[in-house]
């Protein structure tokens, strides 16, 4: 493998990693899971494509990262790129310095499940590999171009000015990658108006004008927006007082219900997994069929709403586990958007090979594409970019000092 970037995504008890080569075609990737328990292990794939499974009983994040790096060190990673869900108002990827780490810490109340886990990973890699440049790439950064009428809530102003209560948006690396790649495939790189639908266990939509996010479905937290695997998406905010008054639920119970017991799982009372629901619905399960219908209808409604942010619509990109793999969901969603002139080709849609990119409309009206996302590749690219910028700045200041 040529020079490479190690991409790390730390969760509370797991670490996803990928070693991405400069040309981005070679990948070594894996997952350390059940960290802190007797069952802690690393599962992955080597460059040769062989499966790797390694037991690391009771390993914490630091031990797991040490083991991962030991196995990868002969590939000589040049930098580490950390996925960080919430960057607050940071607008781009940043070299990890004490100041940036503090900004990530300050954004913790806005992503209480994610940012603390990222900080554990950052802390461990900084101690283990002090010589490697490390960069934070934020899910929120791509959406920092949203205008204020898209990111402000209709709430008292002081909540925004004093407490940063606003819409941030998430899945930014995916929306950025997919819209860039898709617009390039369409022959209008970073030009025009595009809608993206990132549909996985977490789902969100985005409106992009000339390469910049102008609106997105997720808000202050990744709960707002479309129906997800276990997250409700939009609900009437009065649900909190209704459940508190009528069922005596406290805020934690309501939050847990909205985040972990709702969405496809809540509607179907069966599963958060779209594949399972499609199979169940084919066998006559009405709750599964309704969950799918609500998912597609709400998704179409979100896309139609976001279209207000675009002067014109050139097309729609589907991505994520569901968006890339389910022709059925794509067709059903587009069928709920009859006013936009989309002309989906059933043949192209049904025959698109799983995991591949391709155009699936008849060639009249706005385009429809499937574009597999590549968040790791995007994080690696942004990491390289930041490292190159820093090197160039150091070189310039050395040259200036020599002249002086
Ligand atoms: P992700 O979070 O992007 O990995 O996506 C996970 C979701 O993609 C799950 O709901 C899966 O059921 C769904 N998925 C993966 N393959 C398919 C498929 N062939 N048809 C429908 N849903 C799929």
């Amino acid at each position: 493998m040529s020079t490479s970037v190690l991409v790390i995504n730390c969760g509370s008890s797991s670490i996803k990693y990928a070693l991405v080569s400069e040309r981005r075609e070679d990948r070594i990737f894996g997952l350390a899971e059940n960290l802190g328990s007797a069952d802690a292990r690393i599962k992955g794939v080597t460059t040769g494509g062989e499966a790797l499974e390694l037991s690391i009983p009771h390993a914490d994040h630091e031990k797991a990262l040490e083991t991962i790096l030991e196995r990868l060190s002969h590939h000589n990673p040049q930098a580490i790129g950390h996925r960080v869900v919430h960057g607050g108002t940071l607008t781009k990827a940043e070299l990890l310095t004490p100041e940036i780490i503090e900004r990530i810490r300050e954004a913790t109340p806005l992503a209480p499940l994610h940012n603390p886990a990222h900080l554990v990973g950052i802390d461990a890699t900084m101690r283990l590999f002090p010589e490697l440049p490390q960069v934070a790439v934020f899910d929120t950064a791509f959406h920092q171009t949203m205008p204020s009428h898209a990111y402000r809530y209709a709430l008292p102003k002081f909540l925004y000015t004093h407490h940063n209560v606003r819409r941030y948006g998430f899945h930014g690396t995916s929306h950025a990658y997919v819209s860039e790649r898709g617009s390039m495939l369409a022959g209008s790189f970073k030009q025009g108006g595009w809608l993206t639908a990132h549909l996985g266990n977490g789902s969100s939509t985005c409106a992009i004008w000339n390469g910049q996010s102008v609106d997105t479905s997720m808000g202050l937290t990744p709960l707002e927006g479309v129906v997800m695997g276990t997250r409700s998406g939009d609900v009437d905010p009065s649900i909190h007082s209704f459940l508190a008054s009528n069922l005596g639920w406290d805020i934690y119970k309501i939050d847990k219900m909205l985040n972990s017991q709702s969405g496809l799982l809540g509607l179907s009372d069966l599963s958060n997994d779209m594949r399972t629901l499609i199979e169940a619905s084919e066998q006559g399960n009405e709750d599964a069929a309704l969950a799918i219908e609500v998912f597609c209808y709400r998704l179409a409604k979100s896309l139609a709403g976001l279209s207000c942010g675009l002067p014109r619509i050139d097309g729609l990109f589907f991505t994520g586990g569901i968006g890339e793999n389910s022709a059925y969901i794509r067709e059903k969603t587009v069928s709920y958007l009859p006013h936009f002139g989309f002309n989906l080709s059933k043949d192209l849609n049904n025959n698109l090979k799983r995991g591949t990119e391709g155009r699936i409309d008849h060639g009249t009206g706005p385009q429809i594409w499937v574009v597999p996302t590549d968040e790791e590749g995007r994080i690696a690219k942004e990491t390289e970019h930041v490292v190159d910028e820093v090197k160039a700045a150091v070189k310039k200041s050395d040259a200036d000092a020599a002249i002086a």
Side-chain angles (χ1 to χ4, degrees), residues 42 60 68 73 81 104-105 122 156-157 166-167 179 189 197 230 234 259 279 290 320 363 370 380:
I42 297 175
D60 58 7
I68 290 166
S73 56
I104 297 171
R105 207 178 305 284
I122 288 169
K157 188 175 172 184
R166 50 159 286 179
R167 306 183 65 251
S179 59
F189 183 60
T230 61
D234 295 339
N259 277 288
E279 278 164 27
L290 180 68
V370 175

Side-chain angles (χ1 to χ4, degrees), residues 196-212:
T196 45
H198 175 110
L199 312 176
N201 216 2
S203 296
S204 68
T205 51
C206 184
I208 294 127
W209 177 248
N210 289 345
Q212 296 196 326

Side-chain angles (χ1 to χ4, degrees), residues 198-202 272-275 278 320-322 325-326 354:
H198 175 110
L199 312 176
N201 216 2
N272 64 324
D273 191 283
M274 186 57 93
R275 252 174 314 195
I278 293 173
I322 301 170
N325 295 309
S326 179
R354 287 207 181 136

Side-chain angles (χ1 to χ4, degrees), residues 340-344 359 361-368:
F340 290 82
F342 286 117
N343 200 353
L344 184 100
R359 188 169 171 180
D361 64 274
H362 279 295
T364 57
Q367 303 181 28
I368 313 174

Side-chain angles (χ1 to χ4, degrees), residues 25-92:
E25 74 282 24
D26 306 324
R27 292 276 164 99
I28 299 172
F29 55 90
L31 171 74
E33 57 186 1
N34 306 326
L35 296 178
S37 81
D39 201 22
R41 62 180 163 220
I42 297 175
K43 280 168 143 178
V45 171
T46 65
T47 12
E50 300 115 48
L52 161 81
E53 182 145 1
L54 200 66
S55 177
I56 44 171
H58 302 290
D60 58 7
H61 283 74
E62 185 157 340
K63 180 73 198 151
L65 284 165
E66 204 175 354
T67 313
I68 290 166
L69 252 289
E70 254 167 34
R71 300 190 63 88
L72 298 177
S73 56
H74 61 286
H75 291 290
N76 194 22
Q78 303 298 296
I80 297 181
H82 291 266
R83 177 202 178 207
V84 177
V85 164
H86 218 304
T89 49
L90 288 165
T91 55
K92 59 177 185 57

Side-chain angles (χ1 to χ4, degrees), residues 137-150:
V137 181
F138 304 103
D139 270 24
T140 44
F142 181 60
H143 301 298
Q144 284 291 312
T145 46
M146 284 194 287
S148 53
H149 61 261

